[in-house]
């Protein structure tokens, strides 16, 4: 034995081995949880529904921007962001009209885990601003379609009692989804804008027959000159998309 060398006491040696084992075990457990969560998220299918399209232009901004164009552009931006972790399907991929009930039926046919219909707000008051998130809430009145269909026109819609009750069982989770996204939309990052947003329940026809958590998002008022400009800014749309994805991630991680 070398002069001056002091062997590590046996007890201390065992303690070091146990500590190393515990550290490796904790790392392995954390890695397994992470891999399991990634696997669970990868399995999820999200259907994005760009509102309006074709002959239905939706609301129009002061500078002539159509809602149908903004919803299509944003859906593509959001899809690009979500595809990092999810399977994403769009109800339309170009400027054409898709029937309201068909949009929801597409999500059901794909056994989607989430349905998000994308719109912009519209108002005769140009100062109206902010985002709105809607979840389905049944009313004694018939379901409404945002932007293009009045209550009187809705009375002529052909949907049976079963269809009108499908979303009811997902109402609680749909509201939680809206709340998760709202939390992230309101989070200010650095010098970026803090978006004004709220949540409402409404008997929206496009959400009514969805057999999964479903919400409708109005990403800003296109009739507000300032917000119309923002809705044509790819950087703004990307920032909103990133916040929405974070809210979706939070929902899937904490969902009932």
């Amino acid at each position: 034995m070398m002069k001056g060398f002091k062997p590590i006491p046996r007890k201390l040696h065992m303690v070091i081995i146990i500590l190393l084992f515990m550290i490796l075990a904790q790392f392995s457990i954390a890695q397994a949880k992470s891999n399991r969560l990634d696997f669970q998220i990868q399995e999820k299918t999200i259907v994005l529904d760009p509102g309006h399209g074709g002959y239905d232009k939706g609301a129009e901004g002061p500078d002539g921007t159509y809602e149908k164009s903004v919803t299509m552009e944003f859906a593509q931006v959001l899809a690009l962001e979500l595809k990092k972790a999810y399977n994403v399907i769009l109800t339309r991929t170009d400027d054409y009209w898709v029937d309201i009930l068909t949009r929801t039926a597409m999500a059901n046919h794909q056994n989607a885990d989430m349905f998000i219909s994308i719109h912009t707000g519209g108002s005769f008051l140009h100062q109206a601003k902010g985002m709105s998130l809607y979840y389905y809430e049944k009313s004694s009145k018939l379901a409404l379609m945002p932007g293009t269909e009045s209550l009187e026109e809705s009375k002529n819609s052909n949907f049976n009692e079963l269809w009108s009750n499908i979303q009811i069982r997902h109402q609680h989770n749909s509201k939680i989804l809206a709340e998760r996204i709202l939390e992230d939309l309101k989070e200010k990052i650095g010098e970026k804008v803090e978006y004004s947003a709220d949540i409402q329940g409404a008997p929206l026809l496009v959400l009514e027959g969805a057999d999964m958590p479903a919400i409708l998002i109005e990403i800003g008022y296109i009739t507000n000159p300032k917000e119309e400009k923002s809705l044509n800014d790819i950087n703004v749309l990307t920032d909103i998309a990133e916040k929405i994805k974070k809210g979706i991630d939070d929902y899937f991680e904490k969902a009932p």
Side-chain angles (χ1 to χ4, degrees):
M1 183 179 293
M2 292 178 62
K3 187 177 180 180
F5 176 77
K6 294 182 179 180
I8 299 174
R10 184 177 180 82
K11 288 185 178 180
L12 181 57
H13 184 72
M14 291 301 297
V15 169
I16 292 173
I17 292 175
I18 292 171
L19 285 174
L20 286 173
F21 178 78
M22 290 175 66
I23 291 171
L24 289 172
Q26 288 296 325
F27 177 78
S28 299
I29 291 170
Q31 190 66 34
K33 287 182 178 178
S34 177
N35 291 339
R36 185 167 67 252
L37 179 59
D38 289 343
F39 178 73
Q40 289 171 345
I41 286 178
Q42 285 285 354
E43 289 184 318
K44 304 298 184 184
T45 294
I46 299 175
V47 171
L48 300 180
D49 172 43
H52 308 279
Y55 71 87
D56 178 12
K57 299 173 182 177
E60 183 177 353
D63 284 340
T65 304
Y66 292 130
E67 180 178 1
K68 68 172 184 175
S69 301
V70 172
T71 60
M72 188 71 255
E73 177 74 13
F74 181 69
Q76 291 172 335
V77 172
L78 181 56
L80 193 63
E81 188 67 28
L82 292 175
K83 282 179 179 178
K84 297 174 183 177
Y86 306 98
N87 176 37
V88 182
I89 298 170
L90 272 64
T91 58
R92 69 179 178 95
T93 56
D94 209 335
D95 185 17
Y96 52 84
W97 167 251
V98 179
D99 178 77
I100 299 301
L101 299 185
T102 299
R103 296 168 189 255
T104 316
M106 286 174 66
N108 291 344
H109 179 71
Q110 294 293 336
N111 293 317
D113 299 282
M114 184 180 294
F115 177 76
I116 299 178
S117 189
I118 301 166
H119 290 261
T120 70
S123 173
F124 291 112
L125 302 174
H126 286 184
Q127 65 268 32
K129 63 180 181 178
M131 291 188 241
S132 296
L133 292 87
Y134 296 90
Y135 62 92
Y136 183 77
E137 189 170 68
K138 196 166 185 177
S139 169
S140 57
K141 298 179 180 179
L142 291 176
L144 297 176
M145 182 175 73
T148 61
E149 191 173 47
S150 67
L151 178 61
E152 197 59 40
E153 290 171 323
S154 293
K155 291 178 181 178
N156 297 320
S157 298
N158 292 320
F159 57 89
N160 57 38
E161 188 62 26
L162 178 62
W163 177 270
S164 66
N165 285 331
I166 292 176
Q167 179 57 201
I168 297 299
R169 60 179 175 235
H170 300 285
Q171 181 176 329
H172 177 67
N173 284 346
S174 295
K175 186 177 181 181
I176 290 175
L177 170 60
E179 290 170 347
R180 293 278 188 265
I181 292 176
L182 178 66
E183 287 174 9
D184 288 291
L185 284 172
K186 286 189 170 182
E187 181 181 337
K188 190 172 183 179
I189 302 176
E191 297 301 317
K192 291 182 180 179
V193 64
E194 181 175 356
Y195 302 105
S196 170
D198 61 4
I199 296 175
Q200 302 176 47
L204 299 175
L205 187 59
V206 73
L207 302 180
E208 183 181 58
D211 195 11
M212 74 286 299
I215 60 171
L216 182 146
I217 303 178
E218 290 182 343
I219 58 173
Y221 272 83
I222 200 169
T223 48
N224 180 309
K226 185 177 180 180
E227 294 204 347
E228 178 187 17
K229 184 177 180 180
S230 294
L231 291 171
N232 281 299
D233 186 336
I234 191 66
N235 293 320
V236 173
L237 296 182
T238 300
D239 186 43
I240 296 173
E242 289 173 352
K243 290 175 183 289
I244 289 176
K245 179 185 179 295
K246 189 173 184 300
I248 291 172
D249 290 345
D250 291 342
Y251 170 80
F252 280 130
E253 288 175 17
K254 303 170 186 176

